[in-house]
Amino acid sequence: MADRVPQSLQEKIEERLRYYEDLGIRLFYRDRGTPKAAVSLAPEVSAPFPTSGLQENSLPKPIAKPLPPKAAVAAPTPRIAPIVAPSGPSLFESVDKIKDDALPKIREDIGDCTRCKLHKGRNKIVFGDGSPKAELVFIGEGPGADEDYQGLPFVGRAGKLLTQMIEAMGLQRRDVYICNVVKCRPPENRAPEPDEVTTCSPYLLRQIDVIQPKVIVCLGAVAAKTLLETTRGISQFRGEWLEWRGRKLMATYHPAYLLRNPNAKGEVWKDLQKVMAELGLQPPKKTRTS
Ligand code: SF4
C-alpha cells in the first residue's frame, strides 16, 4: 500500500501547483535517472577564443572538474522523460496556451517582481536578450554586477568571453538568445538559492517555450541542474547530448569558470563544436593579413 502524503506536504504541493497554474504552466517533468557520461576520447583541443587577460567578475562558484578520459560508451539515451499531470487541462490545451505566450508578455507578467528575496538587492531585472526566434539558447545562473547595472545578460567579463565563444561558432549575439535561471542579481554574486530558483525558473521555462530553440546550452551547474532537475555534478553529464522536453540540451562550463580555469576552454570548445554540428554551423573563415 502506497504511503500517504502528509497533509502539510500536500497543502504545500497544492499551493505550488496553484502558483504554476497562475503562470500558465501545467506540464511537469521528472528526472528518471542520470545516464552514464559518455567520455570523449578526442585529444585536447585549444579553443579559438581567448581566456587570458580577462578577469572573473561574477558567478564565482567553482564547478566540478571534468572526468579524466577513460572509455567511450554508446550514445546517451534521453534521461528526462516528460510526464503529464494526470488531471487538469490536456497536454494540447496547455501547449496551445503556451503558443499564445510571447516574450514581452512574460516580461510584463514579471513586472516589478518581488516574488523572491532577490528583489531586495537588485538594480534592474535582467530578463534576457537576443533573437526570439533563436535556434540556440544559452542559459546562465543569474546576473552579476554589470548585468544588474545594465539590465542585460552576460555583459561583464564572463559575458565578453561568451560573446567570443558565440562568434567562434560563426554566430553573433543577436542570432542567439541569452538568459539566466534567476532574473535578479544574487548578493555578492552567490549562487541562487533553491527557493529563488524555484520561484523564478517558471519564467525561464516560459521563455524557452516561446522561443522553441533547437538546442539549449546550459552554462554551468545551476542552469543544468535546474532544467534537468538533478543533483548530479555537471561533470557527470557535461558535453553530452540530453533530451529535455523534446529539445536537445547540452551542459558545459560557465564562462566565469573558464576565467578561473583556462585549461578547461578546450573542453568547452569541443562541446560547442558538437552544437555547431547539430545546427550545421561553420566557424568563420579567418581573414589573412599580409
Ligand atoms: S529573481 Fe525572479 S522571482 Fe525573484 S524577484 Fe527577481 S524576477 Fe522575481
Side-chain angles (χ1 to χ4, degrees):
M1 191 171 134
D3 293 337
R4 282 185 59 83
V5 177
Q7 181 69 24
S8 59
L9 177 58
Q10 189 172 331
E11 287 171 1
K12 280 184 183 173
I13 292 171
E14 287 172 359
E15 184 184 346
R16 177 58 59 180
L17 288 174
R18 278 195 296 275
Y19 169 67
Y20 283 137
E21 180 147 0
D22 288 345
L23 296 172
I25 294 170
R26 298 190 180 95
L27 302 180
F28 299 89
Y29 302 85
R30 186 173 65 189
D31 186 345
R32 290 179 183 268
T34 303
K36 292 177 183 174
V39 179
S40 171
L41 294 178
E44 287 292 315
V45 295
S46 59
F49 45 85
T51 57
S52 60
L54 294 167
Q55 298 297 316
E56 176 189 0
N57 77 320
S58 63
L59 302 169
K61 186 182 178 188
I63 299 171
K65 291 179 181 175
L67 290 172
K70 41 185 183 184
V73 298
T77 52
R79 69 191 191 87
I80 307 299
I83 57 170
V84 181
S87 60
S90 73
L91 169 66
F92 301 104
E93 286 170 329
S94 298
V95 170
D96 284 345
K97 178 175 174 55
I98 287 168
K99 279 182 182 170
D100 291 340
D101 216 342
L103 294 178
K105 173 72 169 58
I106 300 169
R107 178 63 188 90
E108 188 183 311
D109 288 348
I110 291 177
D112 192 20
C113 186
T114 57
R115 292 176 180 88
C116 86
K117 57 185 179 295
L118 289 181
H119 81 276
K120 293 176 188 168
R122 73 154 183 257
N123 179 44
K124 286 184 180 172
I125 289 175
V126 181
F127 179 65
D129 187 38
S131 169
K133 296 180 179 174
E135 291 190 331
L136 175 58
V137 169
F138 289 94
I139 302 172
E141 64 180 56
D146 294 305
E147 291 77 14
D148 177 66
Y149 179 74
Q150 296 187 40
L152 291 168
F154 283 91
V155 290
R157 288 190 174 90
K160 284 177 187 161
L161 178 54
L162 176 61
T163 301
Q164 290 167 338
M165 291 157 59
I166 291 168
E167 290 173 351
M169 299 173 74
L171 295 169
Q172 301 293 315
R173 275 181 70 115
R174 62 176 176 271
D175 298 324
V176 304
Y177 194 83
I178 305 170
C179 55
N180 287 301
V181 171
V182 295
K183 312 302 185 198
C184 301
R185 182 194 181 197
E188 309 299 326
N189 291 334
R190 65 159 168 77
E193 294 175 350
D195 61 307
E196 296 156 358
V197 169
T198 301
T199 306
C200 202
S201 58
Y203 299 116
L204 169 65
L205 302 185
R206 286 175 63 186
Q207 285 174 295
I208 297 170
D209 282 327
V210 166
I211 298 167
Q212 299 192 16
K214 279 187 182 170
V215 173
I216 296 167
V217 173
C218 291
L219 299 169
V222 171
K225 290 179 177 182
T226 298
L227 289 194
L228 299 173
E229 296 184 84
T230 181
T231 56
R232 304 277 180 142
I234 187 174
S235 62
Q236 296 181 34
F237 52 86
R238 196 222 90 240
E240 289 306 310
W241 280 123
L242 299 171
E243 183 184 311
W244 182 80
R245 301 176 68 170
R247 306 189 190 288
K248 288 205 146 190
L249 182 149
M250 182 174 291
T252 194
Y253 295 128
H254 194 286
Y257 176 80
L258 295 183
L259 295 179
R260 293 191 304 273
N261 301 277
N263 289 341
K265 65 181 186 289
E267 296 298 315
V268 172
W269 180 235
K270 280 194 286 189
D271 299 344
L272 295 182
Q273 285 178 307
K274 291 180 189 173
V275 174
M276 290 167 65
E278 181 65 26
L279 296 175
L281 298 173
Q282 297 290 331
K285 289 185 178 139
K286 287 182 182 169
T287 51
R288 291 179 181 273
T289 53
S290 57

